[in-house]
Amino acid sequence: MASHDVVVVGGGISGLSLAWRAAQDGKRVLLLEKAGRLGGCLHSERTAGGYWFELGAHTAYNSYGHFLDVAVGAGVAGLVRERGPARARIGLLTHGEYRWLTPPRVLLQLNWLEAAVHLPVGLLASKEGQTVYSRFSRLLGRGNYDRVLGPFLSAVPSQRADGFPLSGPGSLFKKRPRRKEFVRSFGFDGGLQVVCDAAAKTNGVTVETGVGVEAVAKRGDGFAVTTADGRTVEAPVLALAIPPGVAAALLRPRFGELASHLSSIGSVTVESLGVVLPRGKAWMPECAFVVPVDDQFFSCVTRDPFPDPEQRAFAFHFRPGLTRAERLQRALEVLKVTEADLLHVAERSRTLPSPALGHGAIVADLDHHLAGGRLMLTGNYFDGLAIEDCVSRSFAEWARVAAAGT
Ligand SMILES: Cc1cc2nc3c(=O)[nH]c(=O)nc-3n(C[C@H](O)[C@H](O)[C@H](O)COP(=O)(O)OP(=O)(O)OC[C@H]3O[C@@H](n4cnc5c(N)ncnc54)[C@H](O)[C@@H]3O)c2cc1C
């Protein structure tokens, strides 16, 4: 008999929230994570001196109701910290020149003559079947999109957001109810990763890190997964909480149709470089982030919303295709420091989905093939990339399989 009710592959927020949710229903869950640390894109880099900064996701909102359920249930809601005043200042970097803006002042960067020409027709145009680019360039003009809106929208998913669907699955724009008992935008003492770390300690959840899964197969009424260290683990229920390309490769031999739908989801690599500086060496005014127009990086996110008296940290999220030396060089230029000034450097490469028009149909096909079975697929390639989209999907997948009497 299998010693686990559920095996979860992938220890990012999707996998951990699913494991946490299944354990709430009394299930014994084994979670296998390939990397040496948990969290995936929730990567709160910790330095030897006890300082931390976000090398991946950085902000949660009180509209993240399911994510908050996990934080509360895992006992870390007391670590929620409101983002401080620096959250209201944003840097716009255009050809070497910085402008420091509050969010409403970003709108003042628009060419309002161009906008006035486009707005009347744009407002009447249907939103149906539109991409981010087609909608906003029609609404405000191409110049305004390329010069102002495009860079800000691309900073959100760390890639050009032009082809993202405007609405439906994969969209960046979601309206969710807010949980007013929590502050509007926040992080956690110790970083967002504390939610992953706490979820991993849930009763009933066993976590193994440094264990990559290399194959999955049907075994009787359930599943067998083979790990890179040569073990085979069996369970009646299997969840894959890994990027779609990785899931496709695992499923291809035995679940060809699912694999082919997963393969049609585009993806990009995001190369992140984070550095810590002594406060006295940092020239920038405190701000939430810097967004450049047409540069090697999509955003430079700071830890300034959680200020520290001694240190400041900056996480640059770069386009793919640069060398490590090129990324470091660009970060040093922006920060106006030398390598000798850096107290800590951290790097991380990860894959993010790039949903395009038609993404909703791919998700519908995936759900059609999953219906009635005990294989779960979760991740940031269903509803959207946001943490809340991941947790919502995990909860919905668990509800589907649990309703079938697992
Ligand atoms: C730079 C950046 C900034 C972001 N900022 C925000 C933000 O501020 N707010 C927000 O809401 N969202 C943000 N996001 C998006 C959000 O963080 C991610 O979409 C989400 O965390 C993805 O979680 P996941 O668990 O689905 O995938 P991942 O975090 O990618 O986790 C997948 C895990 O699977 C593991 N894995 C892969 N292959 C295998 C295998 N074969 N066997 C075992 N394990 C495997 C990986 O090591 C990884 O740990 C950001 C993302 C990035 C990259």
Side-chain angles (χ1 to χ4, degrees):
M1 199 184 86
S3 53
H4 306 283
D5 301 310
V6 183
V7 169
V8 177
V9 182
I13 189 61
S14 298
L16 282 159
S17 57
L18 198 146
W20 176 85
R21 184 65 196 81
Q24 302 313 298
D25 284 352
K27 303 299 176 194
R28 296 159 307 159
V29 185
L30 174 66
L31 183 144
L32 302 173
E33 164 55 50
K34 186 176 178 177
R37 54 167 282 284
L38 289 171
C41 295
L42 267 60
H43 181 153
S44 309
E45 176 73 9
R46 288 149 194 172
T47 70
Y51 181 74
W52 61 269
F53 65 96
E54 301 291 13
L55 192 55
H58 42 88
T59 308
Y61 301 91
N62 65 0
S63 56
Y64 286 13
H66 295 109
F67 179 61
L68 281 165
D69 284 345
V70 180
V72 171
V76 290
L79 298 178
V80 165
R81 288 292 170 266
E82 183 169 23
R83 294 166 75 233
R87 72 175 188 277
R89 186 186 282 168
I90 300 166
L92 179 63
L93 168 59
T94 315
H95 307 308
E97 189 203 323
Y98 291 84
R99 262 164 291 171
W100 302 102
L101 309 165
T102 54
R105 285 190 140 248
V106 171
L107 293 179
L108 294 180
Q109 304 304 305
L110 295 174
N111 175 339
W112 280 100
L113 188 63
E114 184 187 11
V117 171
H118 287 82
L119 265 173
V121 180
L123 282 172
L124 289 176
S126 161
K127 292 186 195 166
E128 207 55 39
Q130 298 292 316
T131 62
V132 165
Y133 181 77
S134 66
R135 173 68 178 162
F136 289 109
S137 63
R138 209 173 281 177
L139 209 54
L140 298 169
R142 284 182 188 188
N144 276 326
Y145 183 89
D146 292 342
R147 220 170 30 81
V148 185
L149 212 56
F152 279 100
L153 292 172
S154 299
V156 177
S158 300
Q159 58 185 288
R160 292 292 294 233
D162 304 5
F164 274 50
L166 183 70
S167 54
S171 163
L172 296 172
F173 310 105
K174 302 272 159 57
K175 234 184 153 32
R176 309 182 183 97
R178 292 192 177 275
R179 283 179 57 172
K180 296 278 172 56
E181 72 273 31
F182 289 94
V183 292
R184 202 178 166 93
S185 81
F186 60 87
F188 286 78
D189 256 353
L192 292 169
Q193 198 187 310
V194 299
V195 180
C196 294
D197 296 339
K201 294 193 182 112
T202 305
N203 269 342
V205 176
T206 305
V207 169
E208 291 188 29
T209 54
V211 180
V213 167
E214 296 208 321
V216 304
K218 287 285 283 174
R219 180 72 54 88
D221 284 345
F223 301 89
V225 309
T226 307
T227 60
D229 55 8
R231 284 180 288 152
T232 298
V233 185
E234 294 185 27
V237 176
L238 173 65
L240 299 185
I242 49 185
V246 183
L250 288 182
L251 292 171
R252 190 159 292 118
R254 304 293 167 94
F255 306 86
E257 286 208 66
L258 274 175
S260 96
H261 293 307
L262 286 165
S263 303
S264 58
I265 300 172
S267 65
V268 293
T269 305
V270 181
E271 305 284 356
S272 300
L273 175 93
V275 301
V276 179
L277 283 178
R279 177 165 276 278
K281 293 275 182 188
W283 73 269
M284 268 187 208
E286 288 208 340
C287 61
F289 51 86
V290 173
V291 169
V293 177
D294 196 17
D295 208 310
Q296 293 171 330
F297 61 102
F298 287 105
S299 64
C300 163
V301 180
T302 80
R303 210 201 87 155
D304 295 340
F306 307 101
D308 178 86
E310 309 284 336
Q311 301 171 70
R312 289 178 69 191
F314 304 85
F316 291 80
H317 303 297
F318 281 96
R319 295 168 191 271
L322 300 165
T323 63
R324 194 235 180 217
E326 287 167 334
R327 289 192 290 271
L328 184 61
Q329 177 60 29
R330 186 67 190 120
L332 294 175
E333 280 166 13
V334 169
L335 296 170
K336 302 180 184 173
V337 293
T338 66
E339 200 171 348
D341 294 321
L342 306 179
L343 299 174
H344 184 90
V345 181
E347 291 168 83
R348 177 89 188 187
S349 173
R350 50 214 136 191
T351 307
L352 283 180
S354 308
L357 277 188
H359 188 72
I362 301 174
V363 170
D365 282 336
L366 287 170
D367 283 341
H368 174 75
H369 283 286
L370 291 169
R374 291 195 286 191
L375 172 64
M376 293 180 274
L377 290 181
T378 181
N380 52 7
Y381 59 95
F382 287 92
D383 301 336
L385 273 72
I387 294 167
E388 179 63 7
D389 293 322
C390 297
V391 183
S392 299
R393 171 70 189 183
S394 292
F395 282 17
E397 274 296 80
W398 177 250
R400 172 178 70 78
V401 168
T406 301

